[in-house]
Structure formats: C-alpha cells, structure tokens
Amino acid sequence: MEPIASFTVDHNKLLPGLYLSRRDGDIVTLDLRFKRPNTGDLLSNSEMHSAEHLIATLLRNSPQKEAVIYFGPMGCQTGFYFLFDSRLLDLAGAVELVKAVFAQAAAYQGEMPGKSAAECGNYVNLDLDTGRAVCRFYAELIRNWTVEQLAYD
C-alpha cells in the first residue's frame, strides 16, 4: 500500500506551527501542529477537546464560515486539521483566519461552547481555562506566520 501523505513527514523534526498538509481539488487541509519533536509532549484529552470546542465554534461563526469544512483533532494528539474550500477562502485568508480565531479563543469570555450532555458526548473534560491556555500558546506561536512558512521542512 502507498503511505498516507502525513506519514511521510518526519515527525522527529517537525516543529510546532502551521503547515499546508494537502490539496484535494478545491479542499485544502492545514496541519496545525502543537507537539515538540522528540519530547513525547502530547496535548491531553482535556486540552485537545477544550481547544477544539472553542476553535470549531469560532470558525463556524466567523465571516468565512461558508468556507469551513472541518476542524478537528489529529488522532495522534499532536495537533489539529483545518479543512476549507479554496473557492471561498484563499490560503492567505485561511492563515489570517486561523490566527484570528486562536487569538479570539485565547481571550474568550463566556460559557464553554457545547459543554452539556445534550451537546457533547464527553462534555465532562471540557474546561474553558484549559482551552484558552492552549489557544494562547498557539496564537502566540503563529502570530507572525505567513503563507511562505506553510511548507514542511
């Protein structure tokens, strides 16, 4: 079998950041990487889940919401994937959108989105302070990120 494209990236060298993972026709996948290489530091379940609820909610309520296809965690817990429709949002706009929603999430005030048994199957591990801390870390990391930095090394 052919290897999955993301398995061809050397995860021992991959630094936290924002990367262009793939293009599938009009669908573009960005790789939002959090884990530091060779440390074993993964996001905890609560960190992943809390950041996911904040970012997914903000993306789907942004002015570019029609371009948003998916935002969710990687199974390996090293980051997230953001999929968008490139007919509605170009790459530079997507980078700016990711930067904006992470900055918004870092300062988010209010109730944690989707924190009830009716809205989420694992709502008990959602924590607003945890989600904001993860988003604050990533917002600072990518604050000056550009399209030119999207390539994997």
Side-chain angles (χ1 to χ4, degrees):
M1 284 190 265
E2 292 183 35
I4 295 171
S6 65
F7 293 173
T8 65
V9 176
D10 188 342
H11 289 67
N12 291 315
K13 297 177 183 175
L14 185 59
L15 296 174
L18 180 60
Y19 302 97
L20 174 60
S21 178
R22 56 185 297 146
R23 291 178 187 266
D24 298 290
D26 295 323
I27 308 305
V28 176
T29 303
L30 293 182
D31 173 344
L32 288 70
R33 196 60 63 145
F34 285 64
K35 179 187 175 279
R36 295 194 179 283
N38 300 317
T39 65
D41 294 338
L42 301 178
L43 292 171
S44 72
N45 287 335
S46 180
E47 288 172 321
M48 282 301 275
H49 197 196
S50 298
E52 175 197 10
H53 272 238
L54 287 168
I55 299 303
T57 299
L58 291 169
L59 283 170
R60 290 188 173 98
N61 283 279
S62 73
Q64 299 86 357
K65 65 185 176 186
E66 296 303 319
V68 175
I69 293 171
Y70 173 77
F71 177 83
M74 296 175 183
C76 60
Q77 293 178 272
T78 60
F80 299 90
Y81 287 120
F82 171 45
L83 283 70
F84 65 93
D85 186 333
S86 65
R87 295 170 301 175
L88 303 174
L89 183 65
D90 65 14
L91 203 50
V95 169
E96 292 307 311
L97 176 59
V98 170
K99 290 174 6 180
V101 296
F102 271 90
Q104 285 177 303
Y108 184 81
Q109 298 296 313
E111 298 294 318
M112 170 60 83
K115 188 176 180 176
S116 75
E119 297 167 301
C120 179
N122 192 18
Y123 71 97
V124 296
N125 79 348
L126 291 171
D127 181 75
L128 184 58
D129 290 336
T130 298
R132 282 193 303 232
V134 169
C135 292
R136 193 169 26 259
F137 159 78
Y138 199 69
E140 181 58 30
L141 178 75
I142 64 168
R143 184 169 44 93
N144 297 313
W145 215 265
T146 66
V147 170
E148 292 74 31
Q149 293 172 279
L150 290 175
Y152 293 117
D153 287 334

